[in-house]
């Protein structure tokens, strides 16, 4: 599932601060989740659910100093601190690339079906793309 796929999501920040950490969950997965690359940026126009980012704000996310990390089934990871100023009540875009996808006999994945915004999925590694607009891109309302 999600082999060679990029998922771009918008997150709403309640409070602000001078730095952030990204938490990725595999709490309901039945197999390990190999994360290949993650970036964070401000969304275009500060809007939720858009496929475009402000490229001048793009930062690479690391986990224990590594750009990739495998999350065991039933677990979560927290990124290293990221020097990224966030304003209260603002939006943030997190983009995740899965080269190998997640192998699962049951297709059970950790998701957020009540997210109330659009996420984007595309083929290939798009973590640094300013806009996910290629022909493989699709918007979805539940990741």
């Amino acid at each position: 599932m999600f082999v060679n796929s990029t998922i771009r999501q918008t997150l709403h920040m309640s409070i602000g601060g001078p730095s952030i950490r990204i938490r990725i969950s595999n709490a309901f997965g039945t197999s390990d989740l190999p994360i290949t690359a993650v970036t964070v940026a401000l969304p275009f126009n500060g809007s939720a659910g858009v496929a475009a980012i402000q490229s001048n704000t793009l930062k690479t996310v690391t986990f224990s100093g590594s750009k990739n990390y495998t999350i065991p089934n039933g677990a979560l990871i927290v990124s290293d601190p990221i020097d990224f100023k966030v304003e209260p009540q603002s939006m943030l875009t997190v983009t995740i690339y899965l080269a190998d996808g997640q192998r699962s006999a049951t297709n059970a994945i950790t998701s957020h079906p009540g997210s109330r915004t659009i996420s984007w999925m595309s083929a290939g590694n798009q973590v640094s793309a300013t806009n996910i607009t290629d022909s493989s891109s699709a918007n979805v309302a539940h990741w």
Side-chain angles (χ1 to χ4, degrees), residues 6-89:
T6 297
I7 300 170
R8 179 167 281 175
Q9 301 174 295
T10 304
L11 309 174
H12 177 78
M13 303 293 101
S14 323
I15 61 173
S19 64
I20 59 171
R21 295 183 91 168
I22 306 294
R23 192 168 75 172
I24 302 175
S25 175
N26 189 21
F28 303 108
T30 57
S31 64
D32 292 350
L33 174 60
I35 303 287
T36 308
V38 179
T39 58
V40 63
L42 294 176
F44 181 73
N45 283 340
S47 301
V50 295
I53 59 167
Q54 297 175 37
S55 60
N56 62 325
T57 67
L58 185 71
K59 299 257 186 176
T60 298
V61 178
T62 59
F63 306 90
S64 298
S66 179
K67 292 180 184 178
N68 56 45
Y69 197 90
T70 298
I71 310 169
N73 62 305
L76 64 86
I77 57 169
V78 178
S79 74
D80 299 327
I82 306 161
D83 183 21
F84 196 103
K85 185 177 181 187
V86 174
E87 297 296 329
Q89 302 301 317

Side-chain angles (χ1 to χ4, degrees), residues 92-105:
L92 191 64
T93 298
V94 175
T95 308
I96 303 170
Y97 174 60
L98 307 172
D100 297 326
Q102 185 174 24
R103 311 273 185 246
S104 176

Side-chain angles (χ1 to χ4, degrees), residues 100-117:
D100 297 326
Q102 185 174 24
R103 311 273 185 246
S104 176
T106 64
N107 288 330
I109 61 170
T110 302
S111 64
H112 191 307
S115 67
R116 308 289 190 277
T117 192

